[in-house]
Amino acid sequence: MTQLISDIRSVTSNISAVSSNSDVSSKLAEALGWTRGLSNIQPLSIESRLHLTRGYIGSQPAVVFAFEKDGVSPVHEAALYAYHASIRWGLLFDQQGATLFNSHWVRRNEWFQLPFISWSELERNIEVFNAITPEKIENNEIEKIATNFYQPDKILRPVDDSLVERLDYWREEALRFSTGVEGVDDNLQTLFAQLFVLRAVEDRGLAPDIASLRTTYNVSKEVDLNGLRSVLSHAKETIGSGLFDSDALEFLPTNLLGGIIHDLYVPHNLPSSQTRYNFSWIDADILGLTYEKYLATVLAPIPKSPSTQLDLFKQPVREVKRISVRKSSGVYYTPPQLVRFLVESCLNTISHRITPEKIPLVADFACGSGSFLVAAAGALISRLREHDPDRNWARELVENRKLIGIEIDPRAVTMARLALWLRFAEEPQPLPLPHLEEVIIQGDSLSEEVWNRVPCEYDVILGNPPFLAVGKTSRRNDLAHRFTSAKGKYDYSYLFIELGVNHLADEGVIGMVMPNRLFRNKDAEPIRELISTETDIKNIVDFGSNEVFDGISAYIGMLVAQKRSTSSPDSLRVINVNDLTPSFLSALLLNASAQSEDIESQTIFAYNSSPHPRGKIPWLLLTPEAKSNRTQLESNSVFLEEISLIKQGIRTGANDVFIVEIESGEDGSLAKIANGISDYGLIERAMLRPVVFGSEIRKYRDVQPNRYLIYPYRNGVCIPESELKERYSHAFTYLSRYKEALSSRASLRNRKWYELAWSRSIDWLQKPKLLIRDLAVATSFSVDISGSTFLVGGTAVIPHSQDLIYPLLAYLNSSFINEYIAQTTSSYRGGFQKFEPQHLQRIPVHKRILDDEDLVQEITEMAIAVVNAMTEQREDELDTLENAIDDRLKSALGFS
């Protein structure tokens, strides 16, 4: 703290002597550590009564430093700027002292702020200033420190969400009250795009001769339609870009236009009723995100009776339903953290080649809202400005077609163009904005036609392609003919990855979001082979089972790879992400990818994995220690499938009918049963088999079933219907009640209506066996030591030698076998892994488990002790007993 006090004093004691006031905010930012490590600063030249400097963590704005130009100024302006810029924390200061504030918290109907601190009180309040250092901001510790003073009364919605809320409101109103619905949503989208650009141009003062949109409506929000048309016509001449070629007003209810425009000036729920939006303060990527969220849903009208009228408008009223277009189309808009990481990683890889004479060609073949292209444009412009800060590099990127986006959805094409126009409006002398028809192209990049309009090779290829199961694509035969990866049950995203790899220029770099099952699953063999033979992988990021796309269970990873060179890398950098909550994840990822040593924290685990994978086999992304343990295990083992049968359990196709509980009559020839739909019946005891569901299996438990399976088989052969009716009349009567439903099961495949969907073999169903559920957070085998329990769902391991039941139970439940399996299987929400035969067959079983009689005996006794403790519910002993088994196995088998 002493050094921090000294650094702040060196700035504040000489504020009046600083060469220009504009330097003061930067000087204080430096004193607070914002030019060290991952942090950096950027002084801002914007229209304001304040001198502003942004502090960044990586490429993400994190804090605002505001110095008052002309004496005392309220926090309001500094907080309002920070709110627009989506920066939560800021420090307002002058020659007398400073105030820490939050732009998204409200207290007593004012922006949240801590008490003013005089510079003479610096030492007593140094904790407050320490709270706004990069370390405290990055770890969200500032919130704890601030709330020790006060609690906020209200938390504001971010600016993008607030705008989306109002846009959605007016879209719904337009659909409710338009005389017709055809084209309303599309034209409203076009109008919103036009208004966004006009607001940005107005607040940046780029075209003073274009009348303000505020002049087109009155206090009653009634619009002057001729005035609005005049503004749009003037914009077409002055702003250009092609955006204003369309006349959207013709199709929209005139009575709503004034309210729409008003809500782009006047925010809702911000402190002070005099506040208005300043679009020059809203970054282009935030405005683009606003529009992206708006287009994430469509509104569909539900017509009511034509007689239903609204007195005010005398127009038909419709109900409107909201439909998400994300999941149905496999399109998951990419979080900005991921965009920043991939863009910066790719450009950093070729940074030595980026010059004014050689600007890299960048593409996104499924560009969606254009987030990657906007970020790439910004990152390129930032690098090119180092050579010439006054050139309009944005115009040169477009005129020389250095950015190419292809998108099949016309709504998204409009969105992508808008996002780029908003970004380009930030450049020197930006008007007229460029036409983007040859940069953002509507078309299908998987078709051959579009490639007549775009270059064939690119220096950087970015993207987050649609995630769709192949069954949802309609051109399977055509795609299989043209794409190597279009084999089996592939994911649609693989085709875009293949497209990217095939269109890389020499030394080109690809950075893509992808399903993380690509790293391991069998269906990804062709695309793995293509990636690993045509490129050198630089970075792999695996998010595991974390839910990266809000509200959607899509398990993803990221890859950065460069066109393969003659000298191949020995290893690649792997980053496993454990926690998505850090606000500055992109900076952490970029830092981790640039290091060579292991990095382990609550958020990430980063390491170098070797050797570099080649070919179609699953990518084993292991630390050197894990690789050594795996090699050691495999070199002294046989596969589990060599010493066991590994079989999936029964599938009935109608569990509610076939799985029952006995209500009474357990000792007689008949039993009263209750099924899964609370129906009752009488069943011959000879037709019932004790059964356990895979979902009921627990680690080390000796299964004790309390349900029964109706099993219409003898010695594994289906009992003929005539015999079933005669000898097992009660069972036949019971099953006949559900004949129609049982007969309709698609899984029967021309077998008898009362059969199970998959009956499995009686030979192993009635043997002692180990059982595991299909999905579990870790290897969790139970045991059927008597061999009397049938299995529905889950998987069974039936050792060839029954003497191996308990040793294998202990071995397969061990932590190092769980770790071994986790290296080659995908994870799912909640950390679950799959345990089906394909995942278990190749488990290596160390030879000492088979050959060392003393070890086998010792492990058998330890496993029996755990089973007994589980049966007797001695929960307090379980961890100790399991850990003892783990330690003994690791010691005996030589694992660390």
Side-chain angles (χ1 to χ4, degrees):
M1 291 292 190
T2 303
Q3 185 61 51
L4 181 61
I5 293 170
S6 175
D7 291 342
I8 295 173
R9 282 278 180 226
S10 68
V11 176
T12 59
S13 61
N14 296 297
I15 286 181
S16 59
V18 176
S19 58
S20 71
N21 284 343
S22 60
D23 293 334
V24 179
S25 57
S26 296
K27 293 288 186 183
L28 186 58
E30 289 180 27
L32 289 165
W34 284 91
T35 56
R36 298 192 295 266
L38 300 177
S39 307
N40 59 91
I41 61 173
Q42 178 189 356
L44 300 177
S45 300
I46 63 174
E47 185 178 341
S48 171
R49 293 179 295 163
L50 306 170
H51 289 297
L52 298 168
T53 292
R54 281 186 179 189
Y56 289 78
I57 297 177
S59 59
Q60 185 174 347
V63 70
V64 170
F65 295 94
F67 178 72
E68 300 170 7
K69 294 179 182 177
D70 304 312
V72 176
S73 174
V75 169
H76 178 75
E77 184 163 355
L80 185 60
Y81 166 78
Y83 175 78
H84 280 75
S86 289
I87 301 172
R88 294 184 178 272
W89 291 99
L91 189 71
L92 176 70
F93 67 103
D94 60 14
Q95 295 185 15
Q96 283 72 46
T99 303
L100 183 71
F101 65 86
N102 185 295
S103 70
H104 285 64
W105 290 357
V106 174
R107 180 174 178 267
R108 294 181 177 176
N109 295 318
E110 298 291 343
W111 300 100
F112 180 95
Q113 56 188 286
L114 298 192
F116 177 82
I117 299 173
S118 168
W119 295 127
S120 63
E121 301 289 324
L122 173 64
E123 285 80 1
R124 290 174 53 190
N125 294 278
I126 192 60
E127 283 291 344
V128 174
F129 292 94
N130 187 47
I132 205 162
T133 58
E135 296 77 17
K136 301 298 184 182
I137 294 284
E138 185 177 335
N139 296 323
N140 292 322
E141 292 183 40
I142 187 172
E143 295 189 2
K144 300 175 186 176
I145 295 170
T147 52
N148 283 337
F149 286 83
Y150 310 119
Q151 292 290 329
D153 300 330
K154 181 172 68 174
I155 297 177
L156 299 174
R157 303 185 72 179
V159 64
D160 54 304
D161 286 340
S162 184
L163 283 168
V164 167
E165 180 183 41
R166 299 310 299 167
L167 296 181
D168 261 347
Y169 169 79
W170 290 115
R171 176 166 60 163
E172 188 168 329
E173 292 297 285
L175 282 170
R176 284 183 188 278
F177 302 123
S178 295
T179 54
V181 297
E182 190 67 31
V184 170
D185 206 19
D186 290 343
N187 282 284
L188 198 57
Q189 174 190 343
T190 299
L191 178 64
F192 284 159
Q194 293 170 341
L195 297 179
F196 265 50
V197 170
L198 276 168
R199 289 291 291 110
V201 167
E202 177 185 347
D203 284 345
R204 291 186 178 121
L206 300 177
D209 53 338
I210 298 179
S212 168
L213 285 168
R214 282 181 297 172
T215 66
T216 67
Y217 71 97
N218 59 26
V219 292
S220 300
K221 301 179 187 175
E222 295 171 339
V223 73
D224 174 5
L225 192 58
N226 290 330
L228 179 56
R229 287 190 183 279
S230 176
V231 170
L232 294 173
S233 176
H234 202 169
K236 180 178 179 180
E237 298 172 5
T238 305
I239 298 176
S241 79
L243 173 62
F244 296 92
D245 290 346
S246 299
D247 180 5
L249 299 180
E250 179 182 352
F251 303 90
L252 301 173
T254 304
N255 56 290
L256 303 183
L257 296 175
I260 292 171
I261 297 170
H262 174 268
D263 280 353
L264 293 180
Y265 282 95
V266 180
H268 288 244
N269 301 321
L270 292 189
S272 173
S273 60
Q274 304 302 313
T275 299
R276 79 174 186 88
Y277 283 124
N278 187 329
F279 273 58
S280 70
W281 289 353
I282 308 176
D283 289 349
D285 57 349
I286 296 172
L287 285 174
L289 183 62
T290 301
Y291 208 59
E292 179 179 282
K293 289 179 177 180
Y294 164 72
L295 290 182
T297 59
V298 295
L299 299 184
I302 306 173
K304 279 193 173 182
S305 167
S307 61
T308 305
Q309 300 286 320
L310 184 68
D311 291 339
L312 178 61
F313 298 114
K314 297 297 183 182
Q315 291 178 338
V317 180
R318 301 172 192 86
E319 292 300 318
V320 176
K321 64 180 178 180
R322 187 175 303 277
I323 303 170
S324 172
V325 296
R326 284 183 164 189
K327 192 168 184 179
S328 61
S329 59
V331 177
Y332 308 126
Y333 295 118
T334 319
Q337 304 271 29
L338 277 59
V339 174
R340 292 189 188 100
F341 170 76
L342 287 175
V343 168
E344 293 295 332
S345 293
C346 289
L347 292 181
N348 288 343
T349 302
I350 60 167
S351 59
H352 61 287
R353 295 166 49 203
I354 301 176
T355 67
E357 295 73 32
K358 187 169 176 54
I359 301 174
L361 179 54
V362 180
D364 183 345
F365 299 147
C367 70
S369 63
S371 55
F372 281 100
L373 295 176
V374 171
L380 279 173
I381 290 168
S382 176
R383 287 163 168 81
L384 293 168
R385 274 181 177 162
E386 295 176 4
H387 299 274
D388 187 341
D390 299 321
R391 249 161 105 174
N392 188 321
W393 291 107
R395 186 169 287 117
E396 295 192 32
L397 291 178
V398 174
E399 290 175 351
N400 296 318
R401 297 191 76 195
K402 292 299 183 180
L403 296 171
I404 296 292
I406 304 172
E407 173 56 47
I408 196 170
D409 181 358
R411 288 160 40 93
V413 168
T414 300
M415 186 195 310
R417 291 174 181 170
L418 170 65
L420 278 175
W421 282 320
L422 291 170
R423 176 60 186 84
F424 293 163
E426 297 177 358
E427 295 305 296
Q429 300 178 335
L431 299 185
L433 292 174
H435 283 255
L436 298 178
E437 288 81 1
E438 297 302 313
V439 173
I440 307 296
I441 297 166
Q442 184 180 343
D444 180 3
S445 57
L446 299 181
S447 70
E448 295 177 334
E449 293 80 14
V450 75
W451 290 96
N452 297 323
R453 303 167 56 190
V454 297
C456 285
E457 291 189 341
Y458 298 84
D459 300 297
V460 176
I461 295 174
L462 299 159
N464 175 16
F467 292 14
L468 280 175
V470 65
K472 296 186 179 180
T473 64
S474 58
R475 305 150 47 200
R476 181 164 182 164
N477 292 337
D478 174 56
L479 295 172
H481 177 70
R482 294 191 296 110
F483 288 89
T484 301
S485 56
K487 303 291 187 294
K489 296 181 179 180
Y490 65 92
D491 191 279
Y492 203 51
S493 61
Y494 299 171
L495 308 181
F496 290 89
I497 298 167
E498 179 175 342
L499 203 64
V501 171
N502 288 340
H503 287 276
L504 280 179
D506 289 343
E507 298 187 63
V509 187
I510 183 171
M512 299 284 273
V513 180
M514 59 189 60
N516 60 14
R517 61 181 176 275
L518 181 150
F519 305 152
R520 306 175 183 92
N521 279 21
K522 185 175 180 60
D523 63 39
E525 286 181 352
I527 191 63
R528 274 199 302 269
E529 184 168 29
L530 179 70
I531 293 170
S532 62
T533 56
E534 295 295 325
T535 72
D536 294 326
I537 301 172
K538 302 293 185 181
N539 292 299
I540 284 178
V541 180
D542 190 349
F543 291 91
S545 58
N546 287 291
E547 192 175 89
V548 177
F549 303 130
D550 189 26
I552 298 171
S553 296
Y555 307 113
I556 74 162
M558 295 189 293
L559 175 140
V560 177
Q562 189 168 24
K563 187 79 169 179
R564 190 170 181 182
S565 61
T566 53
S567 58
S568 296
D570 296 327
S571 64
L572 58 91
R573 189 74 170 163
V574 179
I575 307 173
N576 293 324
V577 179
N578 306 315
D579 181 9
L580 297 174
T581 58
S583 301
F584 305 97
L585 182 61
S586 59
L588 297 178
L589 293 176
L590 284 166
N591 179 61
S593 67
Q595 305 300 315
S596 56
E597 71 275 6
D598 291 357
I599 299 174
E600 188 166 8
S601 68
Q602 289 184 338
T603 303
I604 60 172
F605 176 38
Y607 57 92
N608 291 335
S609 178
S610 63
H612 187 289
R614 301 291 182 197
K616 65 183 182 181
I617 61 174
W619 294 344
L620 283 178
L621 307 173
L622 307 176
T623 64
E625 179 184 9
K627 177 69 174 176
S628 174
N629 284 343
R630 188 179 182 91
T631 301
Q632 179 184 342
L633 177 60
E634 291 175 340
S635 62
N636 293 285
S637 301
V638 298
F639 292 125
L640 183 61
E641 64 181 350
E642 297 177 41
I643 61 170
S644 307
L645 290 174
I646 303 173
K647 299 291 184 178
Q648 279 193 300
I650 288 168
R651 298 287 190 268
T652 72
N655 283 349
D656 284 341
V657 174
F658 284 102
I659 308 296
V660 300
E661 294 183 6
I662 293 180
E663 294 285 305
S664 61
E666 295 187 21
D667 297 328
S669 60
L670 294 177
K672 181 182 178 183
I673 55 92
N675 65 18
I677 51 178
S678 300
D679 199 0
Y680 295 88
L682 288 176
I683 298 287
E684 289 81 1
R685 289 282 303 169
M687 294 292 293
L688 299 177
R689 301 290 184 275
V691 70
V692 64
F693 282 119
S695 59
E696 297 173 326
I697 291 168
R698 297 293 181 269
K699 190 175 184 180
Y700 279 110
R701 178 172 293 174
D702 185 2
V703 295
Q704 301 294 327
N706 56 10
R707 292 184 177 88
Y708 290 83
L709 169 70
I710 299 174
Y711 190 71
Y713 298 85
R714 184 188 303 110
N715 298 324
V717 178
C718 182
I719 298 171
E721 186 169 353
S722 58
E723 182 182 349
L724 182 66
K725 185 175 183 180
E726 181 179 345
R727 294 189 59 184
Y728 304 100
S729 59
H730 291 89
F732 182 82
T733 299
Y734 167 81
L735 292 171
S736 295
R737 293 186 217 164
Y738 307 100
K739 184 173 182 178
E740 183 177 351
L742 296 178
S743 299
S744 66
R745 291 173 293 162
S747 53
L748 277 183
R749 300 182 183 178
N750 299 318
R751 284 173 289 131
K752 295 181 177 64
W753 62 268
Y754 54 88
E755 287 199 61
L756 306 177
W758 292 105
S759 58
R760 309 306 183 191
S761 171
I762 198 75
D763 292 339
W764 64 263
L765 281 169
Q766 292 185 319
K767 284 188 176 180
K769 51 192 171 290
L770 306 179
L771 309 174
I772 190 168
R773 60 196 300 172
D774 290 335
L775 283 172
V777 294
T779 50
S780 303
F781 283 89
S782 63
V783 61
D784 171 27
I785 196 64
S786 67
S788 61
T789 302
F790 281 32
L791 173 66
V792 171
T795 297
V797 174
I798 309 97
H800 297 327
S801 169
Q802 297 306 304
D803 293 339
L804 288 176
I805 281 283
Y806 283 115
L808 280 179
L809 178 66
Y811 181 83
L812 294 176
N813 278 334
S814 66
S815 62
F816 60 86
I817 290 300
N818 180 65
E819 181 181 342
Y820 182 95
I821 297 175
Q823 293 163 0
T824 56
T825 60
S826 299
S827 58
Y828 300 84
R829 182 190 294 180
F832 282 85
Q833 301 168 236
K834 269 197 173 181
F835 294 99
E836 295 176 343
Q838 60 177 317
H839 307 107
L840 303 178
Q841 289 163 351
R842 308 296 283 180
I843 293 177
V845 180
H846 200 285
K847 292 176 181 176
R848 285 197 65 186
I849 298 297
L850 308 176
D851 302 334
D852 188 329
E853 294 182 3
D854 292 338
L855 178 62
V856 168
Q857 180 61 33
E858 183 179 358
I859 296 301
T860 296
E861 292 173 359
M862 296 176 80
I864 291 172
V866 182
V867 171
N868 289 339
M870 175 68 77
T871 301
E872 296 165 11
Q873 299 183 348
R874 290 181 275 124
E875 305 285 344
D876 56 327
E877 299 181 26
L878 290 175
D879 284 345
T880 301
L881 293 170
E882 288 185 48
N883 290 337
I885 291 177
D886 245 26
D887 292 342
R888 182 65 187 101
L889 284 172
K890 287 180 179 179
S891 172
L893 306 181
F895 298 135
S896 56

